Amino acid sequence: MKNTRLWIADLEVSYADAFREYVNLKKSHLFQVRMCTEKEQLQKALAEEEIEILLISAKWYEEVKDFIRNECVILLSEGSLPKELGRYPAVYKYQSVDNILREIMYYYSDQNGEEEYYAGIHRENRVIGVYAPSDGIRKNKFALTLGQILAEERSVLYLNLEECSGLSEILGGNHWNLSDLIYYLRQQKTSFLYRLNSMVKKLDRLDYIPPCESYTDFRQITAEEWQRLLHLIRTQSTYDVIILDFGNITGHEIELLRQCSGIYVPIRQDMISQGRIAQWERYIQISDGMDVLEKLQKLEVPGCGDGPYSEEDLLVLQQQELGCYIRGLLKE
């Protein structure tokens, strides 16, 4: 996979060098960073080098703007910017490098340039589904614990496909979520991987994209759009495992369940829960989904009682009874 050439231009040598070193040492990252800390050095680079993204100090921009050609310019700001620089995207300098990178990828993905790897290639990754028509909280805890355990040794992405998950309230709101990613795909832009990575958040080692917040937006997503999203993640990202935490996605969940190599179904033994499972299985059967039924693994899962009550509780799920159960399940 081609690395995008990102140049950082800043007079503060220690800052630019630390930024370059951090990004270039990140595994499976999209950027190869070089740095300029002198005006003449930057003018020469702009004239002779192929620069795809120029992250430049706002204080320095006016001095070199006449040398800039077709680079994607992102200003490195220390606060408010002059009005004449308002047409350029800007990132705040004194925040974590990971946050800066997310913003850079978001802005860069707005460009329409074709990516060499847009068509994608087949990768040996797995999609695991978790579905439970009778108990959503039990299902959520199972899926998040499974994801965190797998993420101890692999690269894992968790996607919550519920119309009202509540996870954004627990994990903190975010400007960008799954609805925004689907909207990006509808625009037929080609820098999917940059937009995807700009939205990824972390729960310890587990990557996730904040789920849809608007019920209306969620209901408008078609089966074809969900399938395209999953296909692009599988062919363009570096994830080894994608976990789909299913809700009742407007009646077309069967199409996505078919993409899963395995489907865990946490169950309860009470009469109502068993009735819901039976009705759901009958629905799959009459919907020509016998292949889906063969993938189901129904589980009586321990340790799915009360809670979690906070983000801290989510971070220790894999150390509790449920985590021990899942570790044993994965060894089978």
Side-chain angles (χ1 to χ4, degrees), residues 96-232:
S96 74
V97 176
D98 286 330
N99 283 342
I100 291 175
L101 291 174
R102 274 195 288 270
E103 293 185 45
I104 290 173
M105 288 185 286
Y106 187 88
Y107 293 132
Y108 185 61
S109 66
D110 271 334
Q111 296 193 348
N112 280 311
E114 295 184 1
E115 305 297 337
E116 293 180 2
Y117 45 85
Y118 178 66
I121 57 173
H122 177 73
R123 295 189 66 249
E124 293 298 328
N125 47 31
R126 295 178 62 208
V127 179
I128 299 174
V130 182
Y131 191 96
S134 60
D135 191 339
I137 295 175
R138 181 177 295 255
K139 171 183 64 67
N140 294 149
K141 289 180 68 174
F142 182 94
L144 287 168
T145 307
L146 173 67
Q148 291 184 75
I149 290 173
L150 290 174
E152 292 172 355
E153 297 181 354
R154 306 175 196 174
S155 178
V156 183
L157 178 67
Y158 167 86
L159 297 179
N160 184 288
L161 306 184
E162 297 175 304
E163 61 257 38
C164 185
S165 70
L167 284 177
S168 293
E169 301 298 321
I170 299 171
L171 299 174
N174 192 276
H175 292 301
W176 308 320
N177 59 50
L178 208 48
S179 296
D180 300 304
L181 190 56
I182 293 290
Y183 177 74
Y184 181 82
L185 294 183
R186 289 171 181 161
Q187 295 177 295
Q188 301 296 318
K189 293 186 176 181
T190 59
S191 300
F192 170 78
L193 192 53
Y194 293 91
R195 184 56 61 100
L196 172 72
N197 285 4
S198 74
M199 294 182 175
V200 166
K201 305 279 284 182
K202 280 193 172 292
L203 184 66
D204 197 13
R205 298 180 185 179
L206 175 65
D207 285 4
Y208 72 95
I209 297 176
C212 298
E213 294 186 356
S214 167
Y215 177 80
T216 301
D217 289 347
F218 181 90
R219 296 281 293 184
Q220 292 174 349
I221 301 172
T222 66
E224 291 74 20
E225 288 173 330
W226 285 120
Q227 288 175 306
R228 184 179 177 218
L229 174 64
L230 184 58
H231 170 74
L232 290 174

Side-chain angles (χ1 to χ4, degrees), residues 28 37 44 71 80 109 171 189 199 248 268 290 299:
S28 303
T37 57
K44 182 178 180 181
E71 293 81 9
S80 58
S109 66
L171 299 174
K189 293 186 176 181
M199 294 182 175
N248 296 305
R268 302 177 67 170
M290 291 302 296
L299 307 167

Side-chain angles (χ1 to χ4, degrees), residues 230-324:
L230 184 58
H231 170 74
L232 290 174
I233 292 173
R234 296 194 71 181
T235 57
Q236 294 195 18
S237 75
T238 57
Y239 289 110
D240 302 311
V241 181
I242 300 100
I243 294 179
L244 303 182
D245 189 349
F246 284 94
N248 296 305
I249 52 176
T250 65
H252 53 244
E253 68 273 9
I254 289 180
E255 288 85 349
L256 279 178
L257 287 166
R258 275 202 174 92
Q259 310 300 315
C260 299
S261 58
I263 304 163
Y264 292 120
V265 184
I267 62 172
R268 302 177 67 170
Q269 291 302 325
D270 64 275
M271 182 175 64
I272 293 178
S273 297
Q274 289 295 307
R276 289 177 177 175
I277 289 286
Q279 180 181 342
W280 178 59
E281 288 182 319
R282 187 165 60 253
Y283 162 72
I284 292 177
Q285 186 173 359
I286 64 177
S287 300
D288 196 27
M290 291 302 296
D291 57 321
V292 173
L293 288 177
E294 292 173 358
K295 298 178 182 180
L296 302 185
Q297 188 171 354
K298 290 184 281 188
L299 307 167
E300 292 186 50
V301 179
C304 281
D306 293 338
Y309 297 103
S310 67
E311 182 176 349
E312 288 71 25
D313 289 341
L314 291 175
L315 291 170
V316 296
L317 286 173
Q318 70 272 30
Q319 302 169 20
Q320 300 174 352
E321 183 182 9
L322 177 59
C324 293

Side-chain angles (χ1 to χ4, degrees), residues 36-47 60 64:
C36 286
T37 57
E38 298 176 359
K39 181 179 176 181
E40 293 75 16
Q41 180 190 18
L42 178 57
Q43 290 175 351
K44 182 178 180 181
L46 288 168
W60 201 0
V64 297

